[in-house]
Amino acid sequence: MDNKQERKKFFGSLVIPLIIVALMWLVKVFEVSAGVSLSRWGLVPHSVNGLVGIFTLPFLHSNWEHLLSNTIPILVLGTALYYCYPTLANRVLLITYLASGLITWCIGRPDTTHIGASALVYGLNLFLIVSGFIRGNRMLIVVSLIMVFLYGSFIWGMIPSLAIPQNISWEGHLSGALIGVLLAIFLRKEGPQKEIHHWDEDDDDENGSSTDSEAEEHPYWDVPTPSDDELTVQYRIRH
């Protein structure tokens, strides 16, 4: 693939992540400019009315800092997903989006409201990490691990005792991570696979075929036995 095709593929991989991020920012800009909060439309576990949050969850954020902390991971991980797994990306994104919200609705505390794209971030990151190991894609592993370090709360964000005091949805994080791992396992046979290197034996066959056949016809231990006449001649010469 030449540079022009690489650039085209890269920019094509940016489209969906950019659309998601644009919607996230448009919602926040609307909230600030209109002086309203749309957090009431977030996900409320075990509540029928709260089911709408499954669809609105990734686009609602409590403040600019919260929004910015999810913007960069969505762009980086989303682009990596569409670049490396173009045939799987839409499916992975949609399932992670809906399933992580549904699981959060099931396991979340009933008196809480969950907002933010963190569940989607965790899902994409774990999918890329596990898929990278399964398929031997070092680039994906490196990108995902970099995001783990940059996303400061990645590990302890899934631990209730550490996340709850920080007002962080450990349920959403855990749900996204679980879906990401499961998708990586179930879809392991689809999309690009781990490269298996084969030795090229053509040259060896061509160069070694005649030698092998000659060796079979005249093995090194097949020493010709001299005849009686030859032995007699050799005896006379020596004496």
Side-chain angles (χ1 to χ4, degrees):
M1 187 180 294
D2 58 29
N3 292 334
K4 184 176 181 180
Q5 290 176 319
E6 284 283 356
R7 287 196 298 270
K8 183 178 179 181
K9 182 179 179 181
F10 174 75
F11 287 115
S13 302
L14 266 173
V15 173
I16 299 299
L18 279 175
I19 291 175
I20 295 173
V21 167
L23 290 174
M24 289 161 49
W25 280 77
L26 283 174
V27 169
K28 178 51 66 180
V29 169
F30 172 78
E31 286 183 313
V32 173
S33 60
V36 299
S37 174
L38 300 179
S39 296
R40 65 181 183 276
W41 295 102
L43 187 149
V44 181
H46 312 294
S47 167
V48 175
N49 293 332
L51 281 170
V52 68
I54 293 175
F55 304 97
T56 61
L57 179 67
F59 306 105
L60 303 174
H61 292 83
S62 57
N63 51 50
W64 292 108
E65 183 181 359
H66 186 202
L67 174 61
L68 186 60
S69 69
N70 283 328
T71 295
I72 296 176
I74 289 292
L75 284 176
V76 174
L77 298 173
T79 302
L81 175 69
Y82 276 88
Y83 186 87
C84 296
Y85 302 107
T87 59
L88 300 177
N90 287 332
R91 206 184 330 167
V92 170
L93 183 66
L94 183 61
I95 293 175
T96 303
Y97 168 33
L98 298 177
S100 62
L102 181 59
I103 294 176
T104 302
W105 185 87
C106 293
I107 69 174
R109 292 155 290 160
D111 58 342
T112 58
T113 301
H114 300 255
I115 58 175
S118 299
L120 190 57
V121 170
Y122 273 70
L124 295 182
N125 211 357
L126 265 296
F127 174 81
L128 292 176
I129 289 176
V130 177
S131 291
F133 278 107
I134 291 175
R135 303 166 194 265
N137 191 321
R138 295 179 181 178
M139 184 189 76
L140 283 181
I141 297 173
V142 171
V143 169
S144 299
L145 290 178
I146 289 174
M147 295 312 302
V148 168
F149 287 111
L150 293 180
Y151 207 78
S153 63
F154 193 87
I155 301 300
W156 61 264
M158 293 184 285
I159 304 174
S161 60
L162 297 177
I164 292 175
Q166 300 295 325
N167 199 30
I168 290 175
S169 173
W170 67 269
E171 300 97 328
H173 294 175
L174 183 61
S175 300
L178 177 63
I179 291 299
V181 172
L182 290 177
L183 283 175
I185 295 173
F186 285 128
L187 298 176
R188 66 187 182 279
K189 295 183 180 180
E190 297 187 42
Q193 299 297 308
K194 185 174 182 179
E195 293 184 3
I196 300 177
H197 298 283
H198 298 279
W199 293 105
D200 188 0
E201 299 179 352
D202 293 342
D203 294 338
D204 295 339
D205 293 341
E206 292 176 0
N207 297 331
S209 58
S210 58
T211 305
D212 293 341
S213 59
E214 291 174 1
E216 291 177 359
E217 294 175 1
H218 303 288
Y220 67 87
W221 58 81
D222 187 11
V223 179
T225 304
S227 63
D228 293 339
D229 293 337
E230 290 175 336
L231 289 175
T232 302
V233 172
Q234 292 177 6
Y235 176 80
R236 289 176 178 176
I237 292 175
R238 291 176 182 176
H239 292 78

